[in-house]
Each structure stands twice: as structure tokens, then as C-alpha cells.
Amino acid sequence: MSHVMPQPCGNVPAAPPQAVAPPPAPVARYSAPVTPGRPPELLRPAGGITLTRRSPVHAPALNAAVRANLDHLRPWLEWATEAPTPALTAELTEAGSAAWDAGTDFIYLVGLDAEPGRVIGSFGLHGRIGPGALELGYWVSAEHGRRGIATAAARTVTEAALALPGIERVEIHCDQANDASAAVPRRLGFRLDRVVAAPVRAPGETGRKLIWVTER
């Protein structure tokens, strides 16, 4: 997201937003598969939203969505410091597609059934926290905050993750000040496992990271 483009926790502005911090570099860097399985490429949570595997064909719509939401994302996501070029977004979507095929990261784009072709957010499962686990990261556009989209999508993606062979745990990480992001795992019944010190990489961060966990 992971700038693996919008990927996609947990980090969102304290108000309407809902975003979760993705890694700053292309997911293709992760070389070891975390699971021999692959999640469904299309997920349909309740509420008229669709989660589709991110692919290079989505790059223009994704670039437009990120550029429109920079102010919304900048407080919590280090890759949102400046507008990505179309070429960068295309490069990152290519990397993300390769990571999906390799079984290291699985990134979805959020769309509305009523507005085909438009991207309003991103959710990613990232194999960067060790064996048997995936980290769930996400962001939703400012315009679509406070509608339950992040919660519905996170529930569906979590279920898909825990159905994968070898995956026993899903985690959401978000800054302590990011109330909107933290509300998602809380609503879904994740437990707050620990609070750890973390480097401050975005303007809104405090350096205190919440680690939320749910298990199979």
C-alpha cells in the first residue's frame, strides 16, 4: 500500500479517517512465502462494497484516490508525504501483484458497487511479522469514513486470512493516537496484546504503537 501503494493499520486520522500504516517499500521485497495458499481475489463484505485483488490495471484509479486523500492520510502514513506519480503507482502495483503470486503480501482495493471503477481505499495482508501470521493494513478515503466500510472490509479480510493454510494469527498495528484506526480491531473483537515503542515516521504519530491480535 507497502509505499506499496495504499496498503495498506493501522493508521488513520483521529476523525473520520480510517487508515493503517503500510511499509514504505514495494512488497515484492518480501521473498519468503508466508502461506502456500492464496486468498480469494474477490471478496464481498456486506454493505455494497467489493474488495478486489489489486493489479496493474487499477493503477490510474488508485493514483487518483491517493492524490485526492493525501491530506487525510499524511498524519499517519509515511508514504503520504507527497503525491505519487502515475509511474510510481504503476510500479508499485506491479510489485504488489508479484508479491501476491509469491505468497508474501495480498493487497485489495475497495470499491463501491454503485460506482464501478472507483477506488475508495485499500486493505493489505502483509507477511512482515513472522511465521504463521499476517499483518492487516488499511485506509479508507476521507469521503467514505464513518460508514462502517473499514470494519466490514477488515472483518472479511481477516476471515480470508485465517482460512489460509499455516496462518494462525492476524495483527493490526496502529499508533496510540490513531483513534479511528484502533476502533476497527476493537469492534471486531481483536485483543490489545501490547503497546510498544516505535519510530515516529508520520506527523501524527506518538511513537507508541498498539498491537491488536486475533487468532484462528
Side-chain angles (χ1 to χ4, degrees):
M1 312 136 335
S2 305
H3 187 281
V4 158
M5 207 105 241
Q7 289 169 183
C9 152
N11 288 4
V12 190
Q18 280 149 0
V20 178
V27 283
R29 285 189 177 182
Y30 301 98
S31 55
V34 292
T35 173
R38 301 294 181 271
E41 296 188 5
L42 180 67
L43 297 172
R44 291 191 174 278
I49 62 175
T50 301
L51 294 162
T52 305
R53 173 183 171 174
R54 190 183 69 179
S55 71
V57 71
H58 300 120
L62 176 56
N63 184 264
V66 172
R67 294 173 73 93
N69 282 278
L70 280 179
D71 290 343
H72 168 72
L73 301 173
R74 188 175 292 116
W76 308 109
L77 302 179
E78 63 176 304
W79 51 258
T81 54
E82 59 184 36
T85 65
L88 176 60
T89 303
E91 177 185 345
L92 292 171
T93 56
E94 290 279 3
S97 185
W100 183 297
D101 291 338
T104 62
D105 287 68
F106 310 104
I107 303 171
Y108 293 92
L109 296 181
V110 187
L112 298 173
D113 294 347
E115 301 180 53
R118 184 181 179 191
V119 171
I120 65 163
S122 180
F123 281 66
L125 293 167
H126 309 299
R128 59 194 180 200
I129 55 174
L134 287 164
E135 180 186 341
L136 172 58
Y138 47 85
W139 65 269
V140 173
S141 70
E143 179 184 353
H144 295 87
R146 297 190 184 281
R147 300 189 188 183
I149 291 173
T151 301
R155 176 183 292 111
T156 300
V157 174
T158 297
E159 291 170 353
L162 292 176
L164 290 169
I167 300 301
E168 301 293 334
R169 186 175 82 256
V170 174
E171 296 185 3
I172 291 175
H173 298 188
C174 62
D175 190 83
Q176 190 170 36
N178 195 338
D179 294 338
S181 283
V184 173
R186 188 177 292 115
R187 291 189 196 107
L188 295 180
F190 281 60
R191 75 174 186 279
L192 179 58
D193 188 70
R194 60 198 184 278
V195 181
V196 300
V200 173
R201 295 196 173 102
E205 293 183 334
T206 64
R208 300 283 290 169
K209 182 189 290 185
L210 308 182
I211 310 294
W212 300 86
V213 176
T214 191
E215 293 161 328
R216 189 194 293 265

